[in-house]
Amino acid sequence: MESQGSDADFSRPGLELRLLGPLKLLRAGAAETLPPSRKVRALLAYLALASRPVPRERLCSLLWQVPDDPRGELRWCLSKLRALLDDPAHRRVLACDDGIALDLAGCDVDVLRLLAAAEAGFGRLGDTELQSLTAAAEQEFLEGTELAQSIEFEHWVASRRSEFRSFEIALVAETARRTARGTPAGWAAARRWIELSPFDIGAHARFLAELYDRRLIDDCTRHLERTARSFAADGIDFAPIAAAWRELRTTPASAAAAEAAGHETTEPSAQHRISVAIMPLQEVSPDGIGPSDLGNALTHDVISRLARLRGLFVIARGSVFAIAPEQLGYREIGERLGVRYVVTGLLERHESATTAVIEVVEAASAHIVWTDRFEASSLDRLAVLDEIGNGIVSAIASEIETAERNRAILRPPESLDAWEAYHRGLWHMYRFTAAENEQAAAFFRRSAQLDPTFSRAQAGLSFTHWQRAFQRWGERNDEVRRAIETAEQSLLIDEQNPAAHWSMGRAMWLVGDQAEAIGALERSVALSPNFALGHYALAFVHCQAGDPETAIAASDHSRLLSPHDPLLFGILGTRAMALVRLGAFAEAAHWGVKAAARPNAHVHILAIAAHCLALAGRIEEARTHVARIHALNPGYRLDDFLTTFRFEADTQMRYRKAAAAIGLAP
């Protein structure tokens, strides 16, 4: 079996196999004479890349179309390989039952090193290793080893060549990222990158930067015009390149100035929005798997709705549909479109329902971040778009946000960019303690400093001030003022961002302006109907002094959109408080207990559960929750609960009665 070994013990192996370029076998640095048979060479290459023993039947069908004795010919080829590879102390050609494998332990195979580096990430390579692999990847896989009569083998070679070509592009791109702008090496790297990948947004951004640094503005203009025509002819969205050019013109035209500013210069695309490509959904039918009208419509709907959330940079429909027929791998899609995440899916229609299985994949590693199944109990096209589309959009946004928070928490704080600092802030914010809230505010401030145009950083900062006011972790009037100021700043930066209106709506609730609060929150969900936090905040405001039925509907819709939301305790708690106002105490107790069971539920959520249980007559259970409350805050009493929320007089009387029964009354 194969063993890829490591770069550390590669310096001078006894046996080396070169599959990039013309096939070569070297022993102690000297080239071995290979048999003239192309099928022996083809067999050697195929077995070297096989991860497990290959059945003889598979090898016969791969290399021989209609021979008289395929197994006899296979035995002859294997005998040639044994003569080449085996020595008395080490048999490398192994027969495993009916399969054949190569034991390549201690042997350096160039493509295995390339595959291992790709899996680990080219960013982890040292400069010398990067240079060596880049030079190797420039050569064509198995050059001169074509077998025109062996169609299956030719297909295998073609797919491998595409794979290694994508690696070459990634290596050249990594080289460009490490090479200083404005230098001869930087110019060469940018030119090579764009030659290899003429539709790569990052390649065009770097090429434009090299021209711009040299003050070749006319050349920049001509390049933009040519690229716009080329992209239009292929149905690819040119907008990201235009945006990169606009941003480039606002930055200093030198690498040194950019480095002094402390930000990345090789990819001037919106640094505060991680990019995602929603590939056209395929449909399973009796005729196989392929595109369909329903799949295309659902893809278009998901792209449009996800873009309205404004938390992600969503690649336009034209771009993803343009490259879909090429059936590229995740890495190649990521490199071609300049995205971190790729979304794919399969639709299937049954007698009375339609299902969709969706995957979110990290493009660089092909790691599945999340997968789930959605079902609409209807075959009606509009119902499918509504029911399944809602679930897909909210889940994609939520799971990518979670992945980004987890990614940010693993990075050293001083290395974070604006987007990463924002998600590090979210990670701390969702712990709902005073100390974690301070940490969150610090990261949101850092995010805003790194990118003053990042609206969500200001919205996040507003939420931390809101928490300090709501939880009494600071001087309330000061925190209310700061919550409003940062919400206003978020709106000034991006009035179309639903999170900005969400932060303003919550801030308006703090000052008791119910109408303004509801107006801002309704604006947030009008901008993006899939913005789960907007629906939850509407439920929060209505459950206390607005319309309790509206509160329940908004809570349920928020939970439908984001069933694993970090604020799920609040979503459930608002439903419980709305039911109290409707007099449905038993049902309120049910939802209050579910809210209190969430791992990050704070003391006020426990108080909701305790009061609801008391109103439902479940006194002993209510007292258990009171004990939990006092373990967190020994001095907590009814007044703390009532002054935190904005209940009407009749609702306050209900809570006073409940508190008296369980020992929370003053």
Side-chain angles (χ1 to χ4, degrees), residues 122-145:
F122 294 132
R124 297 187 178 185
L125 291 172
D127 289 345
T128 302
E129 299 165 77
L130 177 64
Q131 186 177 2
S132 171
L133 278 178
T134 303
E138 289 178 357
Q139 303 182 77
E140 187 172 65
F141 176 65
L142 289 184
E143 183 184 333
T145 313

Side-chain angles (χ1 to χ4, degrees), residues 45-103:
Y46 190 83
L47 290 174
L49 283 171
S51 59
R52 57 181 61 86
V54 183
R56 293 173 188 266
E57 194 66 32
R58 167 62 182 155
L59 295 173
C60 289
S61 65
L62 181 76
L63 297 172
W64 289 276
Q65 292 301 301
V66 236
D68 295 331
D69 182 13
R71 289 209 168 220
E73 294 197 30
L74 176 60
R75 284 193 296 272
W76 181 84
C77 288
L78 289 173
S79 70
K80 297 297 182 183
L81 286 188
R82 289 190 176 96
L84 269 177
L85 301 174
D86 288 356
D87 58 55
H90 194 162
R91 290 182 56 206
R92 294 189 180 275
V93 182
L94 306 177
C96 311
D97 295 326
D98 192 46
I100 304 296
L102 293 185
D103 177 2

Side-chain angles (χ1 to χ4, degrees), residues 434-449:
E436 294 285 2
N437 196 64
E438 289 304 303
Q439 288 269 70
F443 280 108
F444 290 142
R445 280 193 292 271
R446 175 172 170 77
S447 176
Q449 289 165 359

Side-chain angles (χ1 to χ4, degrees), residues 547-549 552 575-585 651 654:
D547 180 357
E549 296 285 2
I552 291 171
R575 199 180 204 284
M577 290 190 288
L579 289 164
V580 167
R581 292 183 60 206
L582 293 172
F585 300 142
T651 305
R654 287 176 170 172

